[in-house]
Amino acid sequence: MNMSNPMIESTEIPEINYESVKRKQRIRTFAKGMLFLLPSLLLFGVFLFYPLFKTLYLSFFLTNARGETTVFVGLQNYLGMFASPIFHQSMKSTFLFVLYTVPTTIIIALFLAVLANEKLKGIGFFRTIFTSTMGISVAAASVFWLYLFHPSIGFINGILEMIGMESIGWLTDPKWALIAVAVTTIWMNLGFTFLVLLGGLQSIDSYLYESADIDGASYFYKLRRITIPMLSPTLFFVITVTIINAFQTFGQIDILTQGGPQNTTNLIVYSIYREAFTNYQFGTASAQAIVLFVIILIMTIIQFKLGERKVHYQ
Amino acid sequence: MGYIELMDISKSYNKQSDVLNGIDLQIEKGEFFVLVGPSGSGKSTLLRMIAGLEDISGGTLKINGNIVNHLPPKDRNLSMVFQNYALYPHLTVEQNILFGLNAKKIDKATQKKRLLETAEMMGLSDLLKRKPRELSGGQRQRVALARAVVSDAPLCLMDEPLSNLDAKLRANMRIEIRRLQKKLGLTMIYVTHDQVEAMTMGDRIMVLNDGIIQQVGEPIALYNKPSNLFVATFIGSPKMNLGKAKLKESNLVIEDVFTIPFNHEQILAKFQNRQLVVGIRAEHIPHGAEKDGVQTVEIVNVEQLGNETLISFEVGSKLWTAKWLGQWLVGVGDRVPVQISVENMCFFDEDTGNLIQAATSSLKREVVAI
Ligand SMILES: Nc1ncnc2c1ncn2[C@@H]1O[C@H](COP(=O)(O)OP(=O)(O)OP(=O)(O)O)[C@@H](O)[C@H]1O
Ligand SMILES: [Mg+2]
């Protein structure tokens, strides 16, 4: 492409087939892009897509105790599941659990983050404390709460007795078990949620607040008109992650209640685990797993659709 | 008594050394006051202290006769335009402009009225529904100005509002801001590090360096009678040519290169036995005719600006620039005569850097102007 000889170039122009050149370039860039994607595609393929399809496949079969398929039953696993009162209970508990944990976690974390974002003396100490639950494993946290909830020597019942109330069987009373597990979960998730929200708050330009100060905006006016809208991408991320986490809760159930009492804390993932590894019903377990997958998928799609309208990306 | 009074204001961050020191200043109502200085000199700090965004470490600040040291920004009745405009990215232009009125709970009808007036004045009427990211730099700038205007505050502070714009737009906005200020009768405190902006916009200018006031005055006064070497080099473009000088008998010897007869008996006494620095503006070094003080110099650089020609030459270790009107067809290496006359020179003390004697020719011109 040099301009040194315009005569020759002008006669040559009609002979170049732009379309085919462009197509070749497109194929080239596509191949290059694929090359870059290959490592993650491989990882996703082995650890995500293959298990997903395997699960889907299993959900149409009965299996033996080793998980090998025996009889093709079509949709029978699904029909049986939807008819089962235990599954209904499990779904109800799961949705209640999400309802208890997600809004509470986010509101408390947001409150703490707004506090910790103030420029006060010694605020670093509080930031560390608020974040600290992030560094505690599910198992350690669960054991810790197991003792707090202990019916006779537990700290919480100790307090209740001290103020003259009856002690509660936190993990054995069907009325309270789900709430107790929810409290544990909120406490465990708080660190991460707090940290992400604090990061979001700190990335808001301080000029915006100074400008609002000069305009005479009150604290809550600034919170409502600046902080929350500017934080909305972060909030959106945190809500999505917390919901998915809540649906997938397993560790604390296994340690605190094993799904009891009367299946009130038998959340869906725990139910899948029991179906597969206690009852050796890999077929029904897979069917439940697929249902969980679909629920999370739908929730996420709804969120993104709503989010698009409400979230202000910079 | 001025509209804004700063009395011995000082500022230190975290109790460390002072960023600002002994600032004494009065700004009149309706004045366009420019704060200028190099980066890090404390201009923004001073402006933010007046706005109430930064604590005042020492001294007294009065606005309209009242001490306001302790008042939060909203009670100082002022508006501010930030360098990066500080527009709310999630709000439309209209919501941005009305943000402050909304916060102050002003009724909707008044809001509407002021919005329309302001948008009309700033030429934003067609853009009210857009988000800031859908605007050009100049339009964003105008929204920021509109926010200040709509608040109806009598005092407006601006911190380098034009530094993000390109040269041409900047020249336009300079005029626009200046016109707006006159039209609304605002008192304006305007921070810039650009001395051209300072010269062209300010009723008065304050030059700040290292947190200390160097000089306060009208643009022409600063240009003609810079009170020290810092102001002399900071104000004016190209900057003032400086050279060390000494009196030898009745000759002035500059940088051991130029020897110029010196016969101003009345000021001779001031200069005896002192190390001097002389300063002379580029436009005061014309092409030499056959008069006193003609020196021949070798050109090291030529800049053709179309209507004038900048010629650089070496004087000892210093590079001097002369500005000649019109187009001169001279080249690098040519030897040309230049005229350097004593009445165009400012004299500074080399040790303190302070002005001893301003150019006598500028004194004469002032008389003519009156
Ligand atoms: N929050 C702060 N904490 C500590 N030092 C600060 C703070 N803000 C500014 N300074 C210091 O104060 C001095 C003056 O800063 P200032 O922002 O007022 O400069 P400026 O004149 O506005 O410069 P520029 O033209 O670059 O904006 C600088 O030395 C800076 O390092
Ligand atoms: Mg600044």
Side-chain angles (χ1 to χ4, degrees):
Chain A
M1 282 281 164
N2 62 49
M3 303 298 285
S4 60
N5 202 336
M7 284 302 290
I8 288 176
E9 200 163 40
S10 67
T11 55
E12 266 179 358
I13 279 172
E15 290 168 22
I16 300 173
N17 188 343
Y18 288 112
E19 270 313 304
S20 81
V21 172
K22 263 193 197 152
R23 197 172 323 121
K24 254 184 227 155
Q25 280 172 350
R26 263 206 300 276
I27 293 172
R28 261 253 213 64
T29 32
F30 179 75
K32 244 189 239 165
M34 275 303 157
L35 211 61
F36 278 108
L37 278 178
L38 195 64
S40 34
L41 278 182
L42 263 177
L43 284 174
F44 271 116
V46 172
F47 293 107
L48 278 173
F49 299 138
Y50 171 73
L52 182 63
F53 286 114
K54 185 76 180 174
T55 310
L56 190 63
Y57 172 78
L58 274 177
S59 72
F60 297 122
F61 287 89
L62 288 182
T63 61
N64 62 17
R66 303 224 311 273
E68 290 155 350
T69 54
T70 50
V71 187
F72 178 77
V73 291
L75 291 176
Q76 204 55 51
N77 283 334
Y78 290 91
L79 296 177
M81 179 178 75
F82 285 125
S84 140
I86 295 183
F87 180 72
H88 287 170
Q89 170 67 45
S90 161
M91 283 320 275
K92 189 181 141 205
S93 299
T94 309
F95 275 96
L96 273 180
F97 182 77
V98 170
L99 207 64
Y100 291 163
T101 52
V102 174
T104 325
T105 309
I106 287 170
I107 288 170
I108 296 178
L110 184 61
F111 177 73
L112 292 180
V114 169
L115 277 188
N117 196 35
E118 298 292 325
K119 287 181 190 65
L120 299 174
K121 262 220 173 85
I123 203 71
F125 173 73
F126 287 97
R127 287 183 189 163
T128 317
I129 294 288
F130 295 156
T131 331
S132 59
T133 62
M134 231 175 77
I136 298 173
S137 74
V138 175
S142 302
V143 170
F144 166 65
W145 279 91
L146 197 59
Y147 279 103
L148 288 183
F149 284 133
H150 194 281
S152 51
I153 60 163
F155 179 70
I156 299 178
N157 275 346
I159 289 184
L160 283 185
E161 273 164 29
M162 212 157 66
I163 60 172
M165 285 166 73
E166 262 183 59
S167 61
I168 294 173
W170 290 105
L171 300 173
T172 48
D173 186 336
K175 277 210 307 276
W176 289 103
L178 191 64
I179 291 174
V181 177
V183 168
T184 312
T185 310
I186 290 167
W187 183 83
M188 278 170 12
N189 289 344
L190 217 49
F192 172 75
T193 317
F194 165 80
L195 191 71
V196 174
L197 288 179
L198 183 63
L201 284 179
Q202 301 215 316
S203 67
I204 300 177
D205 202 337
S206 65
Y207 281 115
L208 297 184
Y209 292 109
E210 291 181 346
S211 173
D213 280 340
I214 288 177
D215 280 338
S218 69
Y219 182 82
F220 287 101
Y221 190 77
K222 281 187 281 183
L223 194 67
R224 188 163 59 82
R225 293 292 302 273
I226 303 176
T227 310
I228 302 292
M230 293 299 287
L231 199 61
S232 58
T234 318
L235 270 175
F236 177 67
F237 166 76
V238 161
I239 290 174
T240 312
V241 170
T242 324
I243 288 186
I244 292 177
N245 271 342
F247 271 107
Q248 298 186 338
T249 305
F250 175 78
Q252 53 272 51
I253 305 281
D254 193 38
I255 293 172
L256 290 175
T257 61
Q258 278 97 43
Q262 296 165 23
N263 283 332
T264 43
T265 61
N266 190 17
L267 303 190
I268 182 109
V269 174
Y270 195 73
S271 157
I272 294 170
Y273 162 79
R274 268 221 303 227
E275 205 63 21
F277 302 108
T278 319
N279 304 340
Y280 299 108
Q281 301 282 348
F282 291 99
T284 32
S286 298
Q288 287 189 16
I290 293 296
V291 168
L292 173 64
F293 169 71
V294 171
I295 290 174
I296 292 183
L297 188 69
I298 291 172
M299 296 289 288
T300 313
I301 289 172
I302 291 174
Q303 266 191 312
F304 270 89
K305 283 275 171 253
L306 288 182
E308 256 167 31
R309 256 182 280 146
K310 287 271 171 237
V311 173
H312 308 284
Y313 291 101
Q314 284 273 21
Chain B
M1 198 180 70
Y3 181 58
I4 297 169
E5 289 176 74
L6 287 78
M7 286 175 275
D8 197 25
I9 294 271
S10 64
K11 173 74 186 175
S12 60
Y13 285 107
N14 311 324
K15 307 218 162 47
Q16 286 172 0
S17 66
D18 283 357
V19 172
L20 285 170
N21 227 329
I23 304 290
D24 274 306
L25 186 64
Q26 297 212 346
I27 298 171
E28 303 303 327
K29 201 169 179 73
E31 189 172 23
F32 198 115
F33 192 85
V34 177
L35 271 176
V36 67
S39 189
S41 54
K43 310 180 292 291
S44 299
T45 306
L46 185 57
L47 196 72
R48 292 166 57 83
M49 288 201 304
I50 296 174
L53 297 171
E54 209 73 71
D55 284 337
I56 297 172
S57 311
T60 314
L61 172 65
K62 281 189 185 177
I63 297 181
N64 210 2
N66 304 315
I67 295 177
V68 296
N69 282 39
H70 56 293
L71 290 183
K74 69 179 161 75
D75 297 332
R76 298 190 183 192
N77 203 10
L78 45 80
S79 60
M80 184 161 175
V81 176
F82 292 83
Q83 179 175 355
N84 58 3
Y85 314 145
L87 300 182
Y88 305 109
H90 57 287
L91 301 180
T92 61
V93 169
E94 177 178 338
Q95 291 166 322
N96 260 293
I97 296 176
L98 290 179
F99 188 92
L101 300 187
N102 238 325
K104 290 192 201 104
K105 304 207 171 62
I106 287 172
D107 71 87
K108 285 278 183 282
T110 317
Q111 283 192 17
K112 188 92 194 156
K113 187 168 140 278
R114 282 214 229 158
L115 170 73
L116 292 180
E117 277 171 16
T118 312
E120 179 70 24
M121 192 190 322
M122 305 303 302
L124 291 168
S125 303
D126 300 334
L127 306 173
L128 290 178
K129 296 290 169 231
R130 298 226 198 141
K131 294 271 176 71
R133 67 163 177 275
E134 297 158 350
L135 300 177
S136 74
Q139 289 166 338
R140 278 179 218 179
Q141 169 65 48
R142 281 214 287 276
V143 178
L145 286 179
R147 271 201 325 199
V149 169
V150 86
S151 75
D152 247 358
L155 171 61
C156 182
L157 311 178
M158 297 196 176
D159 193 352
E160 307 201 17
L162 303 185
S163 57
N164 289 348
L165 304 180
D166 69 67
K168 198 165 169 194
L169 198 53
R170 209 180 306 170
N172 281 338
M173 291 305 295
R174 277 211 297 260
I175 298 169
E176 247 179 79
I177 292 179
R178 181 78 181 140
R179 250 193 11 214
L180 197 68
Q181 181 262 342
K182 281 277 166 281
K183 188 164 141 198
L184 301 176
L186 293 171
T187 308
M188 178 80 81
I189 306 180
Y190 186 102
V191 164
T192 177
H193 61 251
D194 180 355
Q195 57 88 22
V196 178
E197 231 167 85
M199 292 288 286
T200 51
M201 297 176 85
D203 291 326
R204 278 197 307 153
I205 299 177
M206 170 171 129
V207 182
L208 200 62
N209 188 32
D210 273 340
I212 293 169
I213 297 183
Q214 303 295 315
Q215 192 171 3
V216 182
E218 289 170 15
I220 290 299
L222 262 62
Y223 190 81
N224 288 339
K225 282 187 266 176
S227 67
N228 57 37
L229 284 171
F230 179 82
V231 179
T233 48
F234 193 78
I235 298 287
S237 168
K239 67 187 177 78
M240 186 182 261
N241 301 303
L242 297 177
K244 283 182 193 156
K246 226 184 278 173
L247 268 185
K248 277 199 183 135
E249 282 119 43
S250 63
N251 284 324
L252 189 66
V253 182
I254 302 172
E255 290 281 329
D256 297 328
V257 179
F258 294 157
T259 307
I260 297 165
F262 191 84
N263 43 20
H264 299 250
E265 300 296 340
Q266 68 276 28
I267 47 178
L268 206 60
K270 280 203 226 172
F271 294 174
Q272 285 300 350
N273 306 323
R274 262 172 118 166
Q275 295 290 325
L276 299 172
V277 174
V278 298
I280 183 162
R281 295 276 176 200
E283 65 271 25
H284 293 150
I285 309 181
H287 187 256
E290 303 90 83
K291 271 197 271 166
D292 286 351
V294 171
Q295 310 285 338
T296 307
V297 296
E298 190 182 321
I299 299 178
V300 297
N301 190 34
V302 180
E303 288 174 52
Q304 296 283 359
L305 300 179
N307 57 346
E308 51 199 22
T309 309
L310 296 184
I311 287 143
S312 306
F313 51 90
E314 279 175 350
V315 178
S317 58
K318 302 273 177 15
L319 198 64
W320 280 24
T321 306
K323 191 194 272 183
W324 293 354
L325 264 187
Q327 300 173 352
W328 294 75
L329 296 178
V330 289
V332 173
D334 291 359
R335 293 183 66 81
V336 291
V338 293
Q339 182 162 355
I340 296 172
S341 37
V342 171
E343 53 267 26
N344 286 324
M345 286 179 192
C346 293
F347 295 90
F348 301 91
D349 186 305
E350 197 197 350
D351 298 325
T352 62
N354 289 336
L355 185 71
I356 304 170
Q357 174 74 45
T360 47
S361 66
S362 76
L363 299 178
K364 266 186 243 154
R365 260 197 304 280
E366 264 174 49
V367 173
V368 170
I370 292 164

